[in-house]
Amino acid sequence: MATNNSVAGHRVAVIGGDGIGPEVLAEALKVIGATGVKLATTNFDLGGARYLRDGEVLSDATLAELRKFDAILLGAVGTPDVPPGLIERGLLLKMRFELDLYINRRPFSGTAPGHTKPHDFVVIRENTEGPYVGEGGVLRRGTLDEVATQGSVNTAKGVERCVRYAFELARTRSRKHLTLVHKTNVLTFAGDLWQRTFDRVGKEFTDVATAYNHVDAACIYFVQDPHRYDVIVTDNLFGDILTDLGGAVSGGIGVASSANLNPTRSGPSMFEPVHGSAPDIAGKGVANPVAAILSAAHMLEFLGETKAAAMLRDACVEPVSGSTVAVGDEIARRVKANI
Ligand code: IPM
Ligand code: MN
């Protein structure tokens, strides 16, 4: 099932997945190759297509294999032929939860529509709790009296480790500014835990300036005044929604990258573009590989390959157009020209 492709270097599990996933990952691996960084990659055939073939989504045995790697690079998973939720919960969320990838780090830089000045901010999305955990259930399904509940789970530990990570990140940036985004005016139990934790941890970071925005207001600011943000910390669902908007105001979802991190390094972290498998354009060679390449840059950075990570990011600054392969070739050329 797993095939080993090379001999030395960081051990990376590669999950191309479905749709455009394998196409964009091939370009990301090409560009990493251009930096001279050596990876020992192992391909894992997982995703909707695999599920349809033999029923495996992510078995405990495969998960145990994945734990042995330094990092996981993922293209995109999901196909329209598989019921919604099955691959998302069974593969992507299972990896996030089981590998304790509690930080979803999503940077956004670009010039929002209608603006002339570029913005540069990072969303730190809590990645293991909130409404994603699957708390709740259904009663009397399919009847007029059906009841469905889906609770948001927020633990003191889970909130604190996320908030602390965000403060630590803000401290390393030039503006040293952190905004908590929540909905404390309505979600009074969860919001109170987030706000109290934010205030308490913030006392240890007197060099970091703080702000608070309700999530609905943050949506307006993302469009009208994105420059106010430096680092944002928020819960899992708000972070999911906000980061699609972040992508939309920062050059589009084709360039939005993400890192699913276990900062304790008790296992591998996982790196993936924010976009999905885009089955409508799969196989046409037109998908933008930049989001996958920038996700690979996060991976290199996390693996300690800081210089190579910067080379990838620099090579993606000037936009490139053309086919998936042509964009990958051009970015690889820029990387090589820079060495
Ligand atoms: C994302 C995606 C996932 C999420 C889906 C595919 C489960 O939208 O990574 O943002 O909701 O987290
Ligand atoms: Mn999303």
Side-chain angles (χ1 to χ4, degrees):
M1 177 204 46
T3 45
N4 202 329
N5 299 330
S6 58
V7 284
H10 304 285
R11 292 158 307 159
V12 175
V14 175
I15 305 175
D18 302 307
I20 61 169
E23 300 168 40
V24 294
L25 270 203
E27 300 313 310
L29 292 169
K30 180 195 287 175
V31 174
I32 294 174
T35 67
V37 169
K38 294 273 178 288
L39 302 181
T41 59
T42 302
N43 290 322
F44 283 81
D45 176 10
L46 295 168
R50 167 73 189 273
Y51 168 73
L52 291 172
R53 217 169 48 247
D54 69 6
E56 161 141 6
V57 181
L58 177 61
S59 66
D60 290 343
T62 306
L63 185 62
E65 271 195 63
L66 288 174
R67 285 187 199 280
K68 297 178 192 153
F69 287 83
D70 299 322
I72 302 167
L73 192 57
L74 184 137
V77 292
T79 91
D81 315 330
V82 176
L86 207 139
I87 303 295
E88 289 87 340
R89 292 210 82 84
L91 178 56
L92 202 58
L93 299 188
K94 187 167 175 180
M95 280 196 285
R96 288 179 184 170
F97 296 165
E98 294 292 327
L99 300 174
D100 208 16
L101 308 177
Y102 62 88
I103 296 297
N104 197 326
R105 177 171 172 160
R106 296 182 161 178
F108 297 98
S109 53
T111 304
H115 293 263
T116 49
K117 195 172 111 202
H119 58 262
D120 177 25
F121 61 87
V122 186
V123 176
I124 299 302
R125 162 186 177 189
E126 200 294 322
N127 212 30
T128 53
E129 301 196 333
Y132 275 67
V133 298
E135 194 269 350
V138 64
L139 294 173
R140 303 187 284 270
R141 186 168 178 278
T143 73
L144 288 176
D145 296 317
E146 179 163 346
V147 179
T149 62
Q150 193 113 35
S152 173
V153 174
N154 300 263
T155 68
K157 271 189 205 148
V159 174
E160 171 157 354
R161 65 186 183 173
C162 178
V163 163
R164 194 169 280 286
Y165 179 91
F167 270 106
E168 267 156 16
L169 174 65
R171 176 173 268 178
T172 66
R173 292 169 59 94
S174 58
R175 278 183 60 198
K176 300 189 191 333
H177 187 274
L178 177 64
T179 307
L180 170 66
V181 171
H182 207 281
K183 185 76 185 173
T184 54
N185 54 344
V186 174
L187 304 183
T188 47
F189 310 133
D192 179 49
L193 176 58
W194 276 85
Q195 183 75 67
R196 270 186 293 119
T197 306
F198 187 78
D199 295 345
R200 177 168 49 76
V201 174
K203 292 206 177 87
E204 296 169 39
F205 292 83
T206 46
D207 51 332
V208 176
T210 59
Y212 170 80
N213 291 155
H214 291 319
V215 64
D216 46 353
C219 289
I220 297 178
Y221 297 141
F222 265 46
V223 175
Q224 295 188 347
D225 183 25
H227 310 98
R228 69 171 54 215
Y229 294 121
D230 181 21
V231 181
I232 291 171
V233 64
T234 192
D235 88 349
N236 205 343
L237 183 59
F238 295 146
D240 176 47
I241 299 165
L242 269 184
T243 54
D244 266 25
L245 185 54
V249 298
S250 312
I253 204 80
V255 298
S257 62
S258 79
N260 295 260
L261 302 176
N262 174 339
T264 72
R265 297 177 188 262
S266 62
S269 290
M270 194 253 287
F271 302 84
E272 53 163 345
V274 175
H275 65 65
S277 57
D280 50 324
I281 58 163
K284 297 190 175 151
V286 297
N288 188 348
V290 169
I293 293 168
L294 291 173
S295 302
H298 285 280
M299 180 181 79
L300 291 178
E301 173 118 47
F302 200 70
L303 292 173
E305 302 284 358
T306 317
K307 190 161 163 266
M311 286 163 85
L312 256 59
R313 290 194 185 109
D314 290 350
C316 289
V317 170
E318 279 303 312
V320 198
S321 55
S323 69
T324 309
V325 171
V327 172
D329 284 347
E330 168 59 14
I331 293 173
R333 190 197 63 74
R334 291 177 185 177
V335 166
K336 282 195 192 124
N338 211 6
I339 286 177

